[in-house]
Amino acid sequence: MTSMSPIAIDEPKAPEQPRISRRGTWGVSWHGVRTVAQLELRQRVRSTRWIVALVVWFVVVGGLTLLLSGFLSDAMLGTGNSGPLMFGAVVFLVLGLGLLVTPTLTSTAVNGDRNAGTLATLQVTLLSPAEIALGKLAAAWLAACAFLVLSIPFLVVALFMGDTPPFAVVRVVVIVALLLVSVCGIGLGFSALVSRTAGSTVLTFITVAALVLLTPMLFGLTFSSVEQEENVQVWGPVDGSTFGEDMECGFTTQVQTVAHTERTWWLLGINPFVVVADGAGTGPIVHDDYGSSADPLGSIRDGVRSLRTPNRVDNQCYYASDSLPANDQRGDDSAIWPWGLAANLALGAAGFVIAVRRLAIPSRTLARGTRVA
Amino acid sequence: MSTDVADSAVTPPAAGPPPGIVVRGVSRSFGAVRALDAIDLEARAGRITALVGPNGSGKTTLLLVLAGLLVPDTGTVRVAGHDPVADGPAARARTGWMPDAFGTWDTLTARQVLLTFAAAYRIPTATARVRVDELLATVHLHEYADRPASVLSRGQKQRLGLARALVHSPDVLLLDEPASGLDPRSRVDLRILLRKLADEGRTVLVSSHVLSELEEMADDAVFISRGRSVVPETITTRSTWHVRALSLGALTGWLTAVGAAWRPGEGTPDGPGSVLLEVSGDEGAAQLVRDAVAAGVPLTSLAPVAGALEQAYLTLEEERR
């Protein structure tokens, strides 16, 4: 481009809007992402606030773990191993606190910079919108993972209390990390959509709360609507047989109320706590004498999995030695967590895509009430 | 410079280097507000062009379009030969933009801020270190290089912002109110720096409200009002001069006698005083001095009331009403 023809410029223009080249919007280089991530981390890590947050996290998780272990060793005295219960409690504690802390890491990433007047100067550089968004996401995820790494010692402590496969720690950490990156993505999307930082933070928290609290509530509230009366095969004592160990069992057909939770189980399936419980890979459930289990993760896993096949045979004859034929006993036992995790990651990815599109320049629209610079 | 200021807005140069910025018929609306209304502008390479206009006239919007942040509704833009809309990265690589209001990352040092931007412009680290040291010296911030940006004063932040806009040696420099917050010394430095950059063949477009400031540094001027580029009544035709004499009575008596339309200034008829007079350019002023001295009026001084830009600006204001 040595010289420009003035004719090309002065040609009568068609009234249509100028074409925007979106080439380069999605271009990503390691150099660019690292530049943004480094900038974000420097801004955070430099502040002593960050160190304080990490220390507080360690103390809170550690303290609660100690209290729990003390409580459990008292309560479970002589009734078996408290290992899986301890492990489940620490996992849920770490996930719960992680879901509470992570939204703040990205929910002001874009609009906060815009308000501080540092975003536009970064946008006009050769960094692509995808690099800016990815850098911010990576920095926030690293920060979230720092909290997670600090929690690993307590998971290991629970592991030493027994009855939890060691590999469960790895699985839990990986799944929680992936759930947290989803939350980072959701926060990033809201921070690009909403101009006020308070608004985007609230929306991110509401989304996380909806995933955690609203899903089981909706599952419960819709329970009655999926119930209906229908014929059910019952494996029960045949007529004349007396109740006891040696009773004779057989199939009959009865009209029963059946909850078709196969239509609503996914509400629980996308819940982060269910995803972690299902994916943790703790051992098979062993019921104690009172019919309760000491492994909360395994119980949730088995419970939610069984909701997918509610219409199996009603076994009223479990005391009898003449037990139900094996192939009728178990429902679908395939894992739920890959789907639940994928749903969460899809939400995070949607947030990320929104952020990239909002960061793309030149822009046609401006967010209400904002100046570009 | 007086004629250049007025003329350059209308007549493009016949020859010379290719224009650094060419804007043709650019419009941009925000809802019902028409921020830019078919604006035309040309800024030549190697020259400092002043962008002058009242508040809300569309200066900042125009600079946002030029910086590649906003899509114009209609019209074409060329910055350093590239279209910031269709070929954003190429145009942005050659454009340095300093917004009127911007922030800095408070926890980073001045050096880190500049190094981050150098990395964002994909300048190799070794080159960037040298360049950043140079720039810190240029804007007199080397003492503050390793202090966090939060301790910098407003003027120092402004200088850091200027260094940031220069980090990739852009061909085209867009400065929105660069002098605001600067102390007099820094203003002079800014003027010298911009002159040096223009002499290197770069295109410099400066918007400012400090017209006397602009007048000293700008080679050309573009006036914009209500989103349009306007041609002010040229300064050379008539302007207001401040005429002072030892005896106001003698001055006014003579002026009335020759039929000049004077307006009262200050002073009493018996003592020294002054009047305001419409004069046709420098020749008119010279004529006035000759005639007054010949008529025996004790003239003490004769000076234009305001600078050329300010006068042109004021005719704009009148036009707006």
Side-chain angles (χ1 to χ4, degrees):
Chain A
M1 182 60 96
T2 48
S3 67
M4 242 183 341
S5 150
I7 298 137
I9 298 162
D10 290 331
E11 265 174 355
K13 264 78 67 182
E16 85 238 25
Q17 291 196 317
R19 187 183 57 85
I20 305 175
S21 161
R22 285 294 180 228
R23 176 170 58 87
T25 296
W26 291 97
V28 167
S29 72
W30 164 239
H31 172 84
V33 174
R34 198 189 52 192
T35 302
V36 179
Q38 213 169 33
L39 170 64
E40 290 281 313
L41 284 175
R42 262 190 188 148
Q43 281 194 89
R44 283 185 222 283
V45 176
R46 272 293 170 90
S47 55
T48 46
R49 207 175 42 180
W50 168 251
I51 310 290
V52 171
L54 283 177
V55 170
V56 167
W57 172 275
F58 192 79
V59 169
V60 166
V61 176
L64 286 173
T65 308
L66 268 177
L67 285 174
L68 262 172
S69 65
F71 171 76
L72 289 179
S73 59
D74 277 356
M76 305 277 295
L77 201 63
T79 61
N81 204 317
S82 58
L85 183 53
M86 184 68 196
F87 185 74
V90 176
V91 166
F92 278 3
L93 182 68
V94 169
L95 176 64
L97 289 178
L99 290 175
L100 218 54
V101 169
T102 309
T104 59
L105 295 176
T106 53
S107 68
T108 63
V110 175
N111 50 13
D113 274 13
R114 194 172 269 146
N115 295 347
T118 53
L119 186 67
T121 48
L122 207 58
Q123 282 177 292
V124 298
T125 66
L126 296 179
L127 292 171
S128 75
E131 283 169 347
I132 297 177
L134 207 56
K136 285 177 179 292
L137 188 72
W141 192 31
L142 276 176
C145 284
F147 288 109
L148 192 56
V149 166
L150 276 186
S151 322
I152 291 179
F154 306 112
L155 290 171
V156 173
V157 166
L159 202 67
F160 277 115
M161 293 173 72
D163 285 354
T164 307
F167 200 59
V169 175
V170 180
R171 293 175 63 122
V172 161
V173 168
V174 170
I175 292 173
V176 171
L178 290 175
L179 285 170
L180 293 185
V181 79
S182 312
V183 175
C184 289
I186 293 169
L188 195 64
F190 278 125
S191 79
L193 268 183
V194 182
S195 60
R196 284 173 178 274
T197 52
S200 57
T201 305
V202 166
L203 283 170
T204 311
F205 272 114
I206 286 177
T207 308
V208 173
L211 282 171
V212 173
L213 301 174
L214 201 64
T215 49
M217 275 171 62
L218 275 179
F219 179 81
L221 291 172
T222 55
F223 195 82
S224 61
S225 69
V226 296
E227 274 183 334
Q228 60 189 64
E229 301 268 306
E230 55 187 58
N231 289 326
V232 176
Q233 276 210 310
V234 176
W235 176 256
V238 289
D239 290 337
S241 171
T242 47
F243 201 78
E245 288 241 348
D246 51 350
M247 64 182 170
E248 247 180 89
C249 296
F251 280 113
T252 51
T253 303
Q254 290 178 8
V255 175
Q256 281 189 356
T257 306
V258 176
H260 283 277
T261 50
E262 75 271 18
R263 294 172 199 156
T264 52
W265 68 270
W266 56 268
L267 280 169
L268 296 179
I270 59 172
N271 186 301
F273 286 88
V274 175
V275 171
V276 172
D278 193 71
T282 50
I285 285 298
V286 187
H287 289 282
D288 64 15
D289 299 343
Y290 308 101
S292 68
S293 152
D295 178 4
L297 300 184
S299 305
I300 291 173
R301 174 192 65 207
D302 290 359
V304 179
R305 284 183 185 181
S306 69
L307 288 173
R308 289 178 299 183
T309 49
N311 212 1
R312 60 190 176 164
V313 176
D314 184 13
N315 183 3
Q316 298 180 347
C317 223
Y318 44 82
Y319 273 122
S321 49
D322 184 10
S323 71
L324 185 67
N327 58 337
D328 287 332
Q329 213 163 12
R330 292 187 68 78
D332 183 0
D333 198 36
S334 61
I336 287 174
W337 67 268
W339 304 102
L341 189 58
N344 279 276
L345 285 172
L347 281 177
F352 175 74
V353 170
I354 288 170
V356 173
R357 295 178 66 99
R358 282 302 189 113
L359 284 169
I361 56 165
S363 56
R364 276 197 207 285
T365 51
L366 288 183
R368 186 180 294 273
T370 56
R371 281 170 68 97
V372 177
Chain B
M1 82 157 255
S2 54
T3 47
D4 253 337
V5 162
D7 288 348
S8 60
V10 224
T11 47
I21 302 171
V22 182
V23 174
R24 289 278 178 268
V26 164
S27 301
R28 173 72 213 216
S29 303
F30 298 105
V33 182
R34 214 167 163 75
L36 293 176
D37 190 4
I39 193 167
D40 293 322
L41 178 147
E42 202 159 289
R44 284 180 277 174
R47 298 177 75 93
I48 300 173
T49 306
L51 188 60
V52 185
N55 290 329
S57 59
K59 294 191 301 290
T60 296
T61 307
L62 177 63
L63 289 174
L64 291 178
V65 170
L66 293 175
L69 280 163
L70 270 184
V71 186
D73 294 335
T74 56
T76 53
V77 179
R78 289 286 182 282
V79 175
H82 295 272
D83 184 344
V85 177
D87 195 9
R92 296 205 303 269
R94 291 163 181 79
T95 311
W97 172 63
M98 178 177 169
D100 57 345
F102 61 91
T104 39
W105 301 297
D106 283 346
T107 52
L108 269 66
T109 66
R111 188 191 304 276
Q112 284 172 333
V113 169
L114 293 182
L115 282 174
T116 301
F117 275 104
Y121 279 109
R122 312 225 189 287
I123 300 170
T125 319
T127 321
R129 287 190 187 285
V130 178
R131 174 84 186 137
V132 165
D133 279 336
E134 260 173 41
L135 280 171
L136 285 169
T138 307
V139 299
H140 304 292
L141 282 178
H142 45 282
E143 284 172 45
Y144 295 89
D146 297 308
R147 298 213 209 150
S150 53
V151 306
L152 297 183
S153 71
R154 174 159 155 62
Q156 288 166 337
K157 280 184 184 167
Q158 196 81 357
R159 269 143 59 194
L160 182 61
L162 180 66
R164 186 194 54 68
L166 291 171
V167 82
H168 55 303
S169 308
D171 295 333
V172 173
L173 204 52
L174 309 168
L175 306 175
D176 204 348
E177 301 282 346
S180 72
L182 293 188
D183 55 46
R185 176 74 230 170
S186 301
R187 281 172 192 239
V188 174
D189 287 344
L190 174 70
R191 200 161 69 216
I192 294 166
L193 175 62
L194 294 187
R195 174 54 59 202
K196 181 171 150 271
L197 291 167
D199 289 344
E200 288 168 7
R202 303 178 207 277
T203 311
V204 183
L205 185 64
V206 189
S207 97
S208 177
H209 285 120
V210 190
L211 294 174
S212 55
E213 182 81 33
L214 275 181
E215 184 152 350
E216 283 175 67
M217 64 169 115
D219 302 310
D220 305 325
V222 175
F223 292 82
I224 77 171
S225 173
R226 288 196 277 179
R228 292 169 179 275
S229 41
V230 288
V231 182
E233 288 176 38
T234 42
I235 310 141
T236 45
T237 52
R238 294 194 80 76
S239 55
T240 307
W241 289 64
H242 204 229
V243 186
R244 177 175 282 274
L246 277 178
S247 160
L248 184 61
L251 178 62
T252 53
W254 173 70
L255 284 173
T256 314
V258 299
W262 58 273
R263 279 176 284 148
E266 57 191 41
T268 51
D270 305 330
S274 64
V275 296
L276 296 171
L277 196 62
E278 297 285 311
V279 177
S280 306
D282 290 349
E283 290 81 10
Q287 183 72 41
L288 177 74
V289 172
R290 261 197 313 274
D291 293 353
V293 170
V297 178
L299 270 192
T300 54
S301 72
L302 181 69
V305 165
L309 271 180
E310 193 166 323
Q311 297 234 351
Y313 181 83
L314 290 175
T315 64
L316 257 186
E317 288 285 276
E318 275 163 16
E319 187 181 71
R320 196 176 58 163
R321 271 181 223 135

